[in-house]
């Protein structure tokens, strides 16, 4: 029996054709015409005026934080349970992540806990949509307005998802995407910042490219990195974007299949299929071991690997990261639901190239082990 990888992207549209165009025309760098086209189409898809493509989703968050002039001593509210890119973008500029526990059912940050964490130092809320359901956007936007805070929306896992019928990626002062191969749209590596604010967009363009001054080249007033995005990446992205709707539908099919096939297993909780504001898009199909199971996620993923099934455990909480503990951050902080998800959550093969046969086999193996 062949190993079933946790993710395999689908690249059988126009990817090859557009890539050949890059080779034939010689346009392979960030100066190539596909980059602007991809920025325009991707930002239009989420109703934004400007799109700034960067080398990955982590870079997109870093540029977003710097573009908003968040710095030394500022506080940014974010979930305790997320990818470290979110916290790194903040700590890199000397600002402090202020953490929020998760909602046990949706796995997103519990927005009802945000207000009590707002202080005079709070500059922004980082709203990270996780695993397939959006954060309760209206509550976050309401707080941001009330306290005059910026919103950074991390929509890395949300291409094609909506909140109350408006696209994810349309809500932040700045919103970001990733095009890593396990996202709904991939460019191998890649990311994008979207915004409606012209000044912010210009600042993001500068920050992604070493902060070259516009008037005199090779003269710099500020420091940043090289986060440029290539024409080759954009070629793949354009081909992927053409199929976004189809991809979202496929993800939802995978979600429905697994939910039906696994619903009789007692020791696990499955993703919430729908809320009042969104239908799950199943970025990946996550499973959380419940109180009836004594296993940890690491034990289950090991057993599944022995059965030829690729998996990943869920994210590890920010307050439990050794690197931040060494720095004395988050001392004695506890986030009960986030810690539970980090120890008991994992996801199973759910990439766009997954076949029905593979899904059946994954479900069989889960029944066997659990
Ligand atoms: C994937 C991801 C990122 C980082 O994207 P990269 O392209 O891998 O750097 C950031 N935030 C979330 C929520 C993600 O899922």
């Amino acid at each position: 029996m062949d190993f079933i990888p946790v993710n395999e992207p689908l690249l059988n549209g126009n990817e090859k054709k557009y890539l050949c165009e890059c080779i034939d025309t010689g346009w392979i760098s960030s100066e190539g015409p596909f980059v602007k086209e991809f920025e325009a189409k991707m930002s239009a898809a989420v109703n934004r005026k400007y799109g700034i493509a960067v080398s990955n989703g982590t870079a997109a968050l870093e540029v977003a934080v710097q573009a908003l002039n968040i710095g030394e001593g500022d506080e940014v509210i974010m979930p305790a349970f997320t990818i470290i890119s979110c916290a790194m973008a903040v700590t890199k500029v000397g600002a402090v992540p202020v953490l929020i526990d998760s909602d046990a059912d949706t796995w997103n940050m519990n927005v009802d806990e945000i207000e009590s964490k707002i202080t005079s130092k709070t500059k922004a809320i980082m709203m990270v949509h996780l695993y397939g359901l959006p954060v309760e956007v209206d509550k976050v936007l309401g707080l941001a307005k009330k306290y005059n805070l910026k919103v950074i929306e991390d929509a890395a896992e949300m291409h094609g998802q909506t909140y109350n019928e408006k696209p994810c990626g349309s809500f932040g002062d700045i919103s970001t995407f990733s095009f890593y191969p396990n996202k709904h749209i991939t460019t191998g590596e890649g990311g994008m910042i979207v915004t409606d604010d012209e000044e912010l967009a210009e600042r993001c363009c500068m920050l992604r490219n070493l902060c070259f001054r516009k008037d005199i080249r090779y003269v710099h007033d500020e420091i940043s990195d090289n986060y440029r995005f290539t024409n080759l990446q954009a070629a793949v992205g354009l081909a992927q974007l053409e199929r976004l709707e189809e991809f979202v539908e496929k993800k939802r099919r995978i979600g429905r299949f697994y939910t039906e096939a696994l619903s009789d297993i007692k020791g696990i909780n499955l993703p919430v299929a729908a809320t009042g504001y969104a239908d799950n898009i199943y970025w990946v199909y996550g499973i959380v071991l419940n109180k009836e199971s004594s296993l940890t996620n690491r034990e289950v993923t090991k057993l599944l690997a022995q059965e030829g099934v690729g998996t990943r455990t869920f994210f590890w909480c920010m307050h439990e990261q050794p690197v931040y503990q060494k720095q004395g951050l988050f001392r004695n902080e506890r986030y009960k639901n986030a810690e539970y998800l980090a120890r008991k959550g994992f996801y199973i093969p759910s990439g766009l190239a997954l076949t029905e046969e593979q899904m059946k086999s994954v479900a069989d193996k889960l029944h066997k082990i659990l």
Side-chain angles (χ1 to χ4, degrees), residues 46-50 170 172-173 194-201:
V46 293
N47 297 342
R48 303 309 296 251
K49 283 193 191 144
Y50 307 99
S170 68
D173 292 282
V194 294
T195 181
D196 292 324
D197 184 317
E198 187 179 357
E199 230 170 277
L200 273 179

Side-chain angles (χ1 to χ4, degrees), residues 56-58 61 83 85 128 130 154 156-157 178 180 183 190 283 315:
N56 54 64
T58 304
L61 286 168
I83 190 166
S85 311
V128 190
L130 291 171
D154 182 352
E157 306 174 2
S178 162
Y180 189 70
K183 317 295 184 189
W283 165 55
F315 298 125

Side-chain angles (χ1 to χ4, degrees), residues 251-275:
K251 283 282 189 181
R252 290 198 164 124
R253 266 208 315 278
I254 294 172
R256 282 195 296 271
F257 180 96
Y258 277 141
T259 296
E260 203 176 300
L262 303 174
S263 59
D264 61 331
I265 300 179
K266 292 228 162 34
I268 55 176
N269 292 347
L270 302 178
V272 172
T275 63

